[in-house]
Structures are given as C-alpha cells and as structure tokens.
C-alpha cells in the first residue's frame, strides 16, 4: 500500500509482542478476519505478518513492550463478539469494537441563565486552525449546548481545510469584521460581514478561507461536544449547485442571512425591533433564532 504522503514509504506496520504466536494468529485470522501474509520461521514461528483493510500488524515473539490496543471500526460491532464491545487477544492486545457511524448523543437539557461580558482577564484557548475560543456557556447546559466566541487577531488567509461537524444544530453569527467562507453545493465563496449569519446543517462540508484582522464570530452548537471530520477528497467550491439540498436528520437546509437585506419588525418587547434569520423554517422548527436591537 503506497503512502499518499510520502512515496518513499511503502508500508506501515504495527509491532505487537506475542508469546503465543499460534493462538494469537488464530484469534486475528479466524475470529477477526485478518489475512496472513507471511510467517517465519516455518518450524518454530516467531513472527507473523497479518493485515486487514491495508492495516498491517507484525506479531513478534521477540518484541518487547506493552501488548497495546486496537480499535476496529465496524458496521455492526455486536455481531463480531456476540454482543461484547471489547475482546482480549491471547497476546494481551485489547480489541475495541466501535460503530462506524455512531448515533449522535444529545444530553438532556439543564437550563441556565448566563450573562457573559467580555473582560480583559478572560481566558482564550487556541482551537482548530489556530482560532482563539472563549466559552460563553461554561456549564454547557448539561452538555446539550455550546456557545463559543471565536476570533482571529491577524487577518489574511486562514489555515483551514475542508471539514464537517457531526452535530444536530450549528449556527455562526459574524460579530466583528468579515470572513470569507465556502460551503458544499452552495456555489462560489462569499463574505460574511458583521451582522450576517449562517446555519450550518449537519455534516455540510465547508472551509474558512480568509478574514479581516480582529474578525470575531459567535458559534452556537448542539451537542456541546461533537466531532469535526476532515474531508480530504472534496474540493470547494464543488461542481454541484443545489442550494435547496437537505442535510441531516431531522432535515435541514443551509441558510445565509445578510444583515443589509434584513426586514426589521417590532419585537415582542416594547422598544425593540427584531429580524428573523430564517433558521426556524430551514430546520423544520427545530430551532428559532432572531436578532434584536433597540428601536430606532
């Protein structure tokens, strides 16, 4: 298997210590479906080379160190070990069986009122792609929601990559400056200005391209802890244009709300106006977001 990263690397092997070559080899080949490639020497084997899906393991009787652990990503983990989610090979290697597409866990809601004002002493953490994050809901409302104040101090190109989030809900509101982004099936890159907002449906591929100095956005997502995956195959913008495409379950559509085109209406509180940014209709009522301001 030739490496895509370095043509000089022909194969990669994981070495596992193994006192019981015969029993361990039978465990991997008969029970887990690994393929035997070579065994040495024939009369008293001390090394066996096996593989599965291009992943190579060297069972070595002379190797030292811990037996380690392997994670096997499966369509149906329970079918491999009669319902168990872990196994132990005769050489001591722990085998963890994980679902290839695990269900999204939404923690129960623990409501709280949080008033968060920015202060000089606030802690910012360096997150993905070098962006600075400030937590706006420290208790995460029981893990159900996360709200992050995100900023990039230096303008210019952002070292981002095409990625997606395994989430139920996620929106981005541009608070200061501007940021240029691109989304799957939504056409050419565009610029979010201060006051603009996007709804990012579950697993839509997207990429942050560049921004102004001191750009700041507010990101709200559910659940609080969710996986960000990298898509190495898709290039954005992609050739398909389908702005009405549905993503995720329940079905959601991408929303780009531009503040300069917004229609302001009297809000439910006297002295305030609001604008609907279209999230309720795009999520089938899953979420509703409005922007409010003092009446002019």
């Amino acid at each position: 298997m030739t490496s895509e990263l370095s043509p000089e690397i022909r194969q990669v092997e994981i070495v596992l210590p193994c006192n019981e070559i015969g029993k361990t080899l039978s465990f991997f080949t008969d029970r887990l479906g690994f393929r035997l490639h070579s065994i040495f020497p024939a009369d008293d084997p001390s090394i066996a080379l096996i593989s599965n899906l291009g992943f190579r393991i060297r069972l070595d009787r002379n190797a030292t160190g811990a037996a380690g652990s392997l994670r096997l990503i499966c369509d149906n983990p329970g079918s491999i070990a009669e319902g168990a989610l872990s196994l132990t090979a005769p050489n001591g290697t722990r085998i963890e069986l994980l679902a290839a597409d695990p269900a999204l866990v939404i923690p129960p809601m623990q409501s709280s009122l949080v008033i968060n004002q920015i202060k000089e002493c606030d802690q910012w953490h360096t997150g993905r792609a070098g962006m600075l994050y400030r937590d706006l809901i420290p208790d995460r409302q029981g893990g159900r929601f996360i709200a992050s104040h995100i900023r990039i101090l230096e303008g210019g190109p952002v070292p981002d990559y095409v990625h997606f989030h395994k989430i139920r809900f996620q929106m981005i509101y541009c608070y200061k400056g501007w940021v240029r982004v691109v989304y799957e099936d939504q056409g050419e890159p565009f610029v979010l200005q201060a006051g603009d907002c996007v709804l990012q449906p579950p697993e839509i591929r997207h990429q942050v391209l560049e921004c102004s100095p001191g750009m700041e956005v507010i990101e709200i997502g559910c659940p609080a802890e969710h996986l960000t995956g990298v898509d190495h195959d898709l290039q954005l913008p992609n050739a398909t244009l389908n702005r009405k495409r549905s993503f995720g379950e329940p079905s959601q559509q991408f929303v780009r709300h531009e503040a300069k085109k917004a229609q302001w209406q009297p809000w439910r509180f006297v002295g305030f106006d609001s604008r609907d940014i279209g999230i309720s209709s795009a999520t089938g009522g899953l979420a509703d977001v409005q922007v409010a301001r003092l009446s002019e």
Side-chain angles (χ1 to χ4, degrees), residues 100-276:
D101 188 17
L104 189 64
V105 177
I106 309 296
M109 181 73 167
Q110 295 182 17
S111 299
S112 61
L113 174 64
V114 180
I115 299 175
N116 198 313
Q117 294 180 323
I118 189 168
K119 305 179 183 68
E120 291 297 328
C121 61
D122 283 334
Q123 290 188 345
W124 293 81
H125 302 279
T126 302
R128 196 188 60 79
M131 303 176 190
L132 298 177
Y133 284 71
R134 183 171 74 94
D135 195 350
L136 299 180
I137 311 179
D139 66 2
R140 305 286 175 86
Q141 297 194 334
R144 193 175 183 92
F145 287 102
I146 183 172
S148 300
H149 183 184
I150 305 172
R151 68 183 182 184
I152 300 178
L153 299 179
E154 297 182 2
V158 177
D160 197 12
Y161 36 81
V162 177
H163 65 281
F164 61 94
H165 307 288
K166 292 186 73 69
I167 44 96
R168 188 184 188 196
F169 171 81
Q170 189 176 55
M171 60 163 284
I172 305 290
Y173 180 87
C174 187
Y175 174 55
K176 288 184 179 179
W178 58 265
V179 56
R180 193 163 72 96
V181 292
V182 61
Y183 285 87
E184 179 184 7
D185 289 357
Q186 306 306 311
E188 294 297 318
F190 60 88
V191 174
L192 280 177
Q193 303 281 357
D196 293 352
C197 175
V198 293
L199 170 71
Q200 297 182 167
E203 300 194 36
I204 186 173
R205 272 56 174 170
H206 56 285
Q207 184 176 6
V208 181
L209 302 175
E210 60 179 330
C211 69
S212 62
M215 182 276 301
E216 299 183 26
V217 301
I218 304 299
E219 178 182 280
I220 301 174
C222 171
E225 294 187 355
H226 53 264
L227 180 138
T228 295
V230 180
D231 193 325
H232 294 284
D233 300 321
L234 183 66
Q235 297 292 320
L236 294 179
N238 58 320
T240 304
L241 183 62
N242 183 8
R243 293 196 172 101
K244 297 297 183 181
R245 177 180 169 184
S246 294
F247 295 83
E249 181 62 40
S251 176
Q252 300 179 39
Q253 293 181 338
F254 176 80
V255 171
R256 176 190 176 189
H257 173 82
E258 297 179 79
K260 65 182 180 181
K261 299 179 181 179
Q263 299 293 320
W264 291 91
Q265 303 290 337
W267 202 26
R268 62 179 180 271
F269 297 110
V270 177
F272 289 88
D273 295 330
S274 68
R275 53 184 165 98
D276 184 1

Side-chain angles (χ1 to χ4, degrees), residues 15-21 40-41 44-48 58-65:
V15 178
L16 296 179
C18 181
N19 291 327
E20 296 280 351
I21 288 286
F40 171 88
D44 184 18
S46 61
I47 294 173
R58 182 185 181 93
L59 302 173
D60 192 335
R61 193 167 63 191
N62 299 315
T64 59

